[in-house]
Amino acid sequence: MNEQLTHMTKQVTAGKLTRREFMGKAAALGVTAAVASTMFADAARAAGPKKGGDLKLGLQGGESTNSLDPATYASTVPYMNGRHFGDGLVEVAADGSIEPRLAESVEGSADAKVWTFKLREGVEFHNGKTLTSEDVLKTMERHSNEESKSGALGIMKGIESMKADGNNFQVTLTEPNADLPYLLADYHLVIQPDGGMDDPGAGIGTGPYQVEVNEPGVRHLFTKFANYWNDDGYFDTVENIVINDATARTAALQSGQVQIINRVEPKVADLLGRAPNLTVHSTPGRGHYVFIMHCDTAPFDNNELRLALKYAINREEMVDKILRGYGSVGNDMPINAAYPLFDDSLPQREFDLEKAAEHYKNSGHDGSPIILRTSDVAFPGAVDAAALFQQSAAQAGINLEIKREPGDGYWNEVWNVQPFCASYWSGRPVQDQMYATTYLSTSDWNDTRYKVPEFDALLFQARAELDPAKRKELYAQMGMMVRDEGGLICPMFNDGVEGISNLLEGWESNPGLELMNGQVSRQLWFS
């Protein structure tokens, strides 16, 4: 039998045996499906990536209001569009290290105040223009502009000056920051010709695929760019198909209409994973499902009320019933053990109806309904999570009214607009980036309106602190400020749960953003 299996794996490596044929022959030899699947995967990888084919992704997180302008990306589909057609200077690898992209090298000064990015030569944009350091400079200037409303605006704070110097792009900071390369790996910072100053939504980048069809809220089709500078990106075409309904998304994967889906609902994950032609991948990371309150808007401008709501949520119940174990309990701060400088000694907030009732009484709230807005697109199970929150809050005498919002337009008309809603964050590679993006007073994505000068000062102090132990102390202090004074209710950190066809090879777990940190169209291939 061993000789037969060896012969079969060689045939797979040579491309002479399909997965279906291999699995059938292995079963006839008495090999279990799990073992056979592993053997086939190993043999397919040994053959190396195979080029060609049409990859279709069924994605939640697309709306009719989406733009190809990287500054505007706030949900999964536009984020994945940018991953297909664009490149940044650097990328965060699965192991947490900095990986060069358009910058072939990164060098920081001894005091971490001056950073030099040496650009690759001969990189071409989809419109035929050759990449220059001026394109990089103007891209960064656009995202630093308050009027751009860029999702990366918060992380651009603290830059004293930037310049294009031949084939180098150089950044000088007001204070040292050892994490600057991680900040500039932000997915909004897609390098565009002339920085996107003329037409930011043109969808022109240096990535492996160029825009062919752009139908926001419906589909986005990309074709292989012939003059792409790198050797990844193996498909002929990649298509993002917007499927916001979870049931329809799952059905599309099962029927083979798409090969990948995001946000598999935990309640169906185990069942879906039993399908012979599919695999469900679950990756723990920094993502968290949240309810956010605007600290500057009544009644949430009262911290006693905010604390009442924080104590009135049953975190363990949420993890059990909503995540079905695909995640962990949150602590009303955006940081967990996935961050290298996380302080695990910080006290965990517990479900406490007595404290919830006490804080609610101290708030002086008149007892009128508190409106919580939610939607299926906020996160998988968000509507059910809101209902659980409503039930537990009622036990403390807090009247929550759930308003279910349509998915289309949720990220433009509800999130960061309405004072109390369900949302999610994918997390960021380092605490500096997470806090700068979401809690810095001047950030456009400060979705809790937490604007505290003392917090801002700590953020910049932490950037300038090169001693990891001291930096850890500062981050712990910032986390407790958000936990006890902010508008974030974070009941749970979620695993990334995604479904993928077994026709694809090359999957690598990545604790960054979803879908292998957006790299599925670059790193996977058809077996």
Side-chain angles (χ1 to χ4, degrees), residues 214-387:
N214 179 39
E215 299 178 5
V218 182
R219 63 190 284 260
H220 307 267
L221 178 65
F222 303 82
T223 56
K224 181 68 177 178
F225 178 49
N227 295 334
Y228 177 49
W229 61 272
N230 204 7
D231 59 0
D232 59 3
Y234 308 111
F235 303 104
D236 294 326
T237 68
V238 176
E239 185 173 6
N240 292 338
I241 302 172
V242 179
I243 312 177
N244 286 324
D245 180 78
T247 302
R249 200 163 58 251
T250 302
L253 178 65
Q254 290 175 309
S255 66
Q257 293 176 313
V258 300
Q259 292 88 37
I260 300 176
I261 62 172
N262 69 332
R263 304 220 184 153
V264 173
E265 290 196 314
K267 63 185 179 183
V268 303
D270 289 345
L271 180 62
L272 184 64
R274 297 192 198 114
N277 58 333
L278 304 173
T279 299
V280 172
H281 292 282
S282 174
T283 306
R286 307 174 186 92
H288 44 292
Y289 295 158
V290 299
F291 300 102
I292 54 175
M293 305 172 282
H294 288 182
C295 295
D296 62 357
T297 305
F300 310 105
D301 55 353
N302 184 324
N303 194 40
E304 289 288 339
L305 180 66
R306 298 199 296 269
L307 285 170
L309 291 167
K310 292 175 182 180
Y311 279 110
I313 196 162
N314 191 328
R315 300 160 201 278
E316 288 79 8
E317 183 182 41
M318 288 260 179
V319 171
D320 291 342
K321 294 184 177 180
I322 304 301
L323 298 184
R324 306 294 179 98
Y326 288 97
S328 59
V329 169
N331 196 23
D332 296 337
M333 63 179 73
I335 306 302
N336 66 354
Y339 289 86
L341 295 180
F342 174 70
D343 185 347
D344 58 8
S345 70
L346 296 178
Q348 171 65 49
R349 174 162 286 139
E350 304 290 347
F351 176 50
D352 193 322
L353 290 174
E354 288 187 10
K355 285 187 178 180
E358 179 183 352
H359 285 294
Y360 184 63
K361 180 180 179 181
N362 292 341
S363 75
H365 190 260
D366 60 10
S368 60
I370 298 171
I371 298 175
L372 170 60
R373 300 170 191 273
T374 188
S375 171
D376 291 327
V377 303
F379 58 80
V383 175
D384 292 337

Side-chain angles (χ1 to χ4, degrees), residues 13-77:
T13 302
K16 297 179 179 180
L17 200 63
T18 67
R19 182 186 185 90
R20 183 188 296 273
E21 292 167 340
F22 181 86
M23 296 297 285
K25 291 177 180 292
L29 292 173
V31 179
T32 66
V35 171
S37 181
T38 300
M39 292 178 65
F40 179 87
D42 290 342
R45 289 190 185 95
K50 174 186 173 185
K51 295 184 178 181
D54 303 315
L55 178 67
K56 297 180 185 291
L57 297 90
L59 302 177
Q60 189 227 46
E63 306 167 273
S64 60
T65 54
N66 290 153
S67 166
L68 291 175
D69 176 6
T72 67
Y73 295 168
S75 53
T76 301
V77 173

Side-chain angles (χ1 to χ4, degrees), residues 458-477:
L458 284 172
L459 176 63
F460 291 117
Q461 183 182 346
R463 284 183 177 178
E465 180 55 69
L466 301 183
D467 182 336
K470 293 180 181 178
R471 207 174 194 194
K472 181 177 180 178
E473 291 177 8
L474 293 170
Y475 285 141
Q477 188 177 345

Side-chain angles (χ1 to χ4, degrees), residues 175-227:
E175 300 289 347
N177 189 353
D179 287 339
L180 181 74
Y182 288 93
L183 303 189
L184 296 193
D186 187 277
Y187 64 86
H188 297 93
L189 300 178
V190 172
I191 306 303
Q192 297 175 274
D194 198 37
M197 295 287 191
D198 299 326
D199 188 2
I204 296 174
T206 60
Y209 307 99
Q210 57 190 1
V211 178
E212 190 74 26
V213 176
N214 179 39
E215 299 178 5
V218 182
R219 63 190 284 260
H220 307 267
L221 178 65
F222 303 82
T223 56
K224 181 68 177 178
F225 178 49
N227 295 334

